[in-house]
Amino acid sequence: MDELYPPIEPYERGMLDVGDGNHVYWEVCGNAAGRPALVVHGGPGSGCGTRARRYFDPARYRVILFDQRGCGRSTPHAADPATDMRHNTTHHLIADMERLRAHLGVERWLLYGGSWGSTLILAYAERHPERVSEIVIAAVTSTRRSEIDWLYRGVGRFFPQQWDRFLAGGGVGPDGDVVGAYARLMEHPDPAVRERAVVEWCAWEDTVVSAEGAGNPYGDRPSADRTALVRICTHYFAHAAWLAEGELIRDAGRLAGIPGVLIHGRLDLGSPLVTAWELHRAWPGAQLQVVEEAGHMGNEETRRHLLAAFDRFAAG
């Protein structure tokens, strides 16, 4: 089957109190008695959408989606400058996922996500491998400092004019800490300064995927969603996601015994294939599928691989 499953709506949803004044939005679709699968969105700070539901056979899966702290329908929202970001880290998100699993009475679940979502999936699974049945990742990242530096510096050699604009927006030179500069701008008391930082950050993100024909997937978001995305992204990347450099690849042996499918576009400019390859080598039994004509956003072949993986796991 190459087509997505028909649109479905949640049969259950709620707001989970995860502490620190945060409430995380969650929803469940599909078959209440089906195989549990958790969708882990990217960004960080993108929020969960409706399309991811359609990769799963609704007769065979209990599909769970949630908005990570500070974004989507979770509260408080990072677009509000009064929202305290100190309690929004990778480790908080891992704890939130565990709290959600317990709240919904799930023993083990399949994890699916891409980009930042893959980083959070790996961090969670390496800490709680006994809670994970399978993993499916499209567009592998591990948020190493080297990967962050590539995305916000290295890619500039392909788009020198746009990168100069990105640097100017952060008020730094070519050797400056551009991510840290934007993180500071997002905490500036002047809303006009914050809004300019949002515009320039999203312009750069759209530039990186511009060759994929995806339009402006970052800049075209509603204002509050864009602001939350940039504030959360800069906050996480300025701290290297609170992970030791390379730890998710280093500790991938903890995933031994968990079936995994890694799907990555060879033309992914923002997240080069090397990270997926290194994870594949370090994770015993993980299958890597390279999509020759795909970039970071994926294509029809990416979709076919995803559908095939989920159908295969549903069949046991």
Side-chain angles (χ1 to χ4, degrees):
M1 178 179 179
D2 291 342
E3 296 300 320
L4 299 179
Y5 287 97
I8 54 173
E9 292 299 319
Y11 65 79
E12 186 180 10
R13 53 167 56 90
M15 298 290 287
L16 181 65
D17 185 345
V18 293
D20 310 310
N22 283 270
H23 290 79
V24 165
Y25 170 84
W26 59 269
E27 62 184 35
V28 188
C29 313
N31 183 351
R35 177 185 291 267
L38 180 70
V39 177
V40 183
H41 68 69
S46 288
C48 65
T50 59
R51 182 179 174 85
R53 305 170 185 166
R54 299 181 59 194
Y55 285 109
F56 300 89
D57 183 346
R60 297 192 288 179
Y61 275 102
R62 180 187 181 195
V63 187
I64 303 162
L65 303 94
F66 74 110
D67 289 328
Q68 295 160 29
R69 290 191 184 204
C71 69
R73 288 147 289 188
S74 295
T75 61
H77 203 265
D80 181 352
T83 297
D84 188 346
M85 299 296 288
R86 291 179 301 169
H87 299 125
N88 196 333
T89 71
T90 303
H91 307 296
H92 287 97
L93 299 186
I94 292 170
D96 294 349
M97 292 166 66
E98 264 298 272
R99 191 168 298 196
L100 179 60
R101 182 194 60 77
H103 177 73
L104 296 177
V106 174
E107 183 66 23
R108 299 168 71 229
W109 48 13
L110 178 151
L111 303 179
Y112 160 60
S115 195
W116 159 256
S118 65
T119 294
L120 184 52
I121 283 171
L122 294 171
Y124 172 90
E126 289 179 11
R127 189 169 301 179
H128 301 286
E130 74 284 357
R131 298 302 183 190
V132 181
S133 56
E134 302 92 11
I135 293 174
V136 179
I137 292 174
V140 179
T141 71
S142 69
T143 316
R144 291 176 289 190
R145 289 169 178 82
S146 58
E147 294 171 50
I148 296 167
D149 186 69
W150 170 259
L151 179 57
Y152 299 107
R153 184 181 307 279
V155 179
R157 69 192 64 184
F158 298 99
F159 304 100
Q161 181 179 357
Q162 293 88 339
W163 191 58
D164 278 353
R165 172 182 164 177
F166 182 50
L167 290 175
V172 296
D175 297 322
D177 177 11
V178 63
V179 174
Y182 273 92
R184 291 188 291 274
L185 290 174
M186 290 306 298
E187 303 303 320
H188 197 281
D190 185 342
V193 171
R194 298 195 300 270
E195 176 59 19
R196 180 168 180 253
V198 169
V199 169
E200 297 300 337
W201 182 275
C202 289
W204 175 250
E205 295 280 13
D206 285 335
T207 293
V208 174
V209 298
S210 59
E212 300 182 37
N216 299 306
Y218 298 91
D220 286 348
R221 299 176 189 225
S223 177
D225 291 343
R226 285 189 313 159
T227 300
L229 173 70
V230 177
R231 191 175 182 206
I232 295 171
C233 277
T234 56
H235 173 62
Y236 271 71
F237 296 157
H239 292 89
W242 297 272
L243 298 169
E245 182 69 357
E247 75 168 88
L248 297 182
I249 306 296
R250 181 196 68 203
D251 295 340
R254 297 177 183 176
L255 306 177
I258 300 175
V261 176
L262 311 175
I263 306 164
H264 203 98
R266 190 177 297 280
L267 305 182
D268 188 337
L269 185 60
S271 303
L273 177 59
V274 63
T275 297
W277 174 251
E278 291 170 351
L279 178 61
H280 165 64
R281 289 197 303 175
W283 177 357
Q287 176 186 0
L288 174 62
Q289 295 171 326
V290 179
V291 183
E292 294 295 334
E293 301 300 322
H296 193 69
M297 311 299 287
N299 61 12
E300 290 187 5
E301 186 180 348
T302 306
R303 182 182 69 193
R304 288 195 292 270
H305 285 306
L306 286 169
L307 288 165
F310 295 133
D311 287 348
R312 175 161 56 88
F313 287 139

